Amino acid sequence: MPNDRPSDQKTPLDFDALAVLYLDGQLEGEQHADFSRQLVSDPDKAARLASVAELHAGLIELGRTNATKVQTSSTGASSAPSLRRNQRLWARSLPRWGLAAAALVAVGLSIALLAPWSSDTQDLLTVDQGLVILERQGLRSRVRSTLALLPGDQIVLAGAAAAHIGSRRGDHLALAGGSRLSWSPTTTVRLDAGTLVADITPRPTGQPFLLSTPRADLQVIGTRFTVQAEESLSLLAVDHGRVRLVNRDDPRQVEVAANQLVVTAGAGELVATTGSLSVPTDTSGLTGDYFDHHDFTAWRLRRIDPTIDFNWDKKGPDERLAYERYSVRWRGYLVPAHSGTYTFTFLMDDGVRLWLDGRLVLDEWHLSEKLEFSTTVTLTAQQVYTVRLDYFQGPRGGLISWRWSLPGYAKQPIPTSWLRPLEWTPPPR
């Protein structure tokens, strides 16, 4: 005998199925709130709801007509042709605009229901650029602007995408392309891959912000730090405050202070800090992380480079790296001496990407051999711009030279005095 009882295993519903339940008033609690947020943030879904509402109303009316037909049939069959004529007339005169309006009213009610939803009461994910995917209860959707996060949400940033999270507690987390993060602010935020820069609001003793990577667990009382995570390595660099890092493979732990970093790698190996990166406020240059692979894996060292003007050829940047197939990520600040429309030119071998204030302004991520790539940006003298510069070297020797020019100025390398490392604290704007 077949079992008619519903299965305990839940299957994710598609949008149309949820729309029908929504129109019937069958969605409750968080499911109803989530569906309402989708309607508010995605015009395509609102339009789809209007189509579903039209079909839904037509089916309801058809059911009513059939019920009337059955009822009339019980009193006599002579009126059946008349009922069929009435049904066809109703189908032709179905007020589609009215049903669409009803759907829009439903969207309006959703907006009204979401009135209390604000940055003060929700954790918010905001897309800065590129493709960002959110997975919630098995359903995947693209985030186009700002969306309220719920515990358990998984966030994936493709390619050169960038996004940031602002929590209700005042935390700020910036995610770079290639990152995969699971959000759970009340327990542990998990960074499975990619790069995260976090500024955490100070916490009471015994209630730290918890972050995990595939190799380590972090306990944060309140600080600014950077984490890079992959399956075989986790890098933690602390800019302000202190972070306790526990290696996943054994019980060892270390307190990482400001301007220090630590790396977990290998089978239980806890790599010691490379030493203090404390810098005076007048130190110039960019902070560079060097990786012994072309895709920012196998981290080897961090240092401050006074300028970006290197011809490493077949020697390589450092003895800890091979002379080919490595990558470097420089970060810090640019403070130009002149206002105007700049032409930035890179003499390259091989790939380069440049971000200013989080905006990708140059993307030449491919093999090249001693080629020049240029981009144009408008900058204001003495204004502080955040910099991220990614570089990879493929086969054979390496070369990267970052140069600038203005109308009336010859092309020349970016001056050391214009650059500030990641450890430098910029003045408030």
Side-chain angles (χ1 to χ4, degrees):
M1 183 174 178
N3 183 8
D4 294 329
R5 295 181 60 188
S7 171
D8 292 333
Q9 185 174 2
K10 296 182 179 179
T11 301
L13 299 175
D14 62 17
F15 180 84
D16 288 0
L18 288 170
V20 172
L21 294 174
Y22 180 85
L23 293 168
D24 284 338
Q26 299 299 312
L27 295 182
E28 296 180 356
E30 190 55 45
Q31 197 174 29
H32 182 277
D34 177 54
F35 191 82
S36 300
R37 294 187 193 104
Q38 292 183 46
L39 299 177
V40 173
S41 61
D42 193 333
D44 292 338
K45 289 187 176 180
R48 180 61 185 168
L49 176 64
S51 300
V52 173
E54 180 178 339
L55 179 61
H56 182 260
L59 291 173
I60 290 175
E61 186 57 38
L62 181 60
R64 290 173 181 168
T65 302
N66 287 337
T68 304
K69 180 178 179 180
V70 171
Q71 183 178 1
T72 307
S73 297
S74 65
T75 61
S78 59
S79 60
S82 176
L83 283 171
R84 282 193 293 271
R85 284 195 301 273
N86 290 339
Q87 182 178 331
R88 286 194 295 271
L89 286 172
W90 171 262
R92 285 197 298 270
S93 62
L94 192 64
R96 290 179 172 81
W97 63 268
L99 294 170
L104 293 176
V105 169
V107 174
L109 288 174
S110 301
I111 296 173
L113 289 172
L114 288 173
W117 171 54
S118 70
S119 59
D120 295 331
T121 59
Q122 295 289 330
D123 304 314
L124 300 178
L125 169 68
T126 301
V127 176
D128 300 319
Q129 65 179 29
L131 178 62
V132 178
I133 300 296
L134 178 80
E135 182 171 324
R136 177 175 293 170
Q137 298 180 348
L139 300 176
R140 293 169 64 89
S141 60
R142 177 174 181 174
V143 183
R144 300 182 183 273
S145 54
T146 298
L147 181 73
L149 286 176
L150 300 176
D153 285 349
Q154 297 184 14
I155 305 161
V156 179
L157 280 72
H164 65 270
I165 297 172
S167 79
R168 70 188 74 183
R169 299 192 64 166
D171 305 321
H172 295 278
L173 297 84
L175 292 166
S179 296
R180 298 196 307 273
L181 181 137
S182 296
W183 184 248
S184 183
T186 57
T187 53
T188 302
V189 176
R190 190 175 75 247
L191 180 66
D192 293 316
T195 301
L196 166 69
V197 178
D199 197 342
I200 303 302
T201 300
R203 295 290 200 272
T205 303
Q207 299 180 26
F209 175 87
L210 301 177
L211 174 70
S212 70
T213 72
R215 285 290 181 181
D217 297 315
L218 282 67
Q219 299 177 11
V220 185
I221 300 300
T223 189
R224 188 175 191 273
F225 62 93
T226 299
V227 174
Q228 294 171 353
E230 57 183 273
E231 190 61 36
S232 59
L233 174 148
S234 293
L235 178 149
L236 166 66
V238 178
D239 301 319
H240 304 289
R242 300 179 72 87
V243 178
R244 178 181 294 112
L245 182 143
V246 180
N247 200 21
R248 183 68 52 76
D249 298 320
D250 60 37
R252 283 181 292 176
Q253 58 182 271
V254 62
E255 293 276 350
V256 186
N259 300 312
Q260 291 183 334
L261 61 87
V262 67
V263 175
T264 63
E269 180 186 2
L270 184 60
V271 179
T273 61
T274 60
S276 174
L277 286 174
S278 179
V279 294
T281 57
D282 59 351
T283 295
S284 300
L286 293 179
T287 301
D289 285 303
Y290 287 74
F291 302 83
D292 198 17
H293 206 277
H294 68 277
D295 60 355
F296 304 100
T297 56
W299 176 91
R300 289 294 178 263
L301 70 141
R302 170 177 280 199
R303 71 188 190 192
I304 296 174
D305 291 318
T307 190
I308 311 301
D309 187 21
F310 298 107
N311 185 359
W312 289 307
D313 195 25
K314 295 183 179 181
K315 295 183 295 184
D318 187 271
E319 61 183 9
R320 286 165 282 187
L321 281 77
Y323 79 93
E324 60 181 1
R325 293 184 174 83
Y326 53 84
S327 52
V328 188
R329 173 165 290 153
W330 287 283
R331 291 176 297 146
Y333 306 91
L334 172 68
V335 188
H338 314 284
S339 297
T341 300
Y342 284 78
T343 297
F344 286 154
T345 302
F346 287 86
L347 179 61
M348 291 300 306
D349 185 353
D350 284 291
V352 62
R353 285 177 177 148
L354 174 65
W355 288 262
L356 292 180
D357 274 352
R359 183 170 64 93
L360 184 64
V361 298
L362 180 67
D363 187 0
E364 298 289 348
W365 203 247
H366 51 77
L367 292 174
S368 60
E369 188 169 353
K370 296 184 179 179
L371 296 177
E372 284 193 352
F373 304 108
S374 297
T375 187
T376 301
V377 295
T378 300
L379 304 176
T380 302
Q382 302 306 315
Q383 182 168 319
V384 178
Y385 299 88
T386 59
V387 173
R388 173 180 159 190
L389 175 61
D390 285 1
Y391 163 73
F392 85 89
Q393 168 57 33
R396 297 181 293 277
L399 169 69
I400 178 171
S401 180
W402 181 10
R403 303 174 181 180
W404 71 276
S405 63
L406 283 172
Y409 288 83
K411 189 188 304 180
Q412 53 190 300
I414 298 288
T416 297
S417 60
W418 291 17
L419 301 176
R420 298 289 185 274
L422 185 66
E423 295 74 23
W424 179 70
T425 302
R429 290 189 179 182

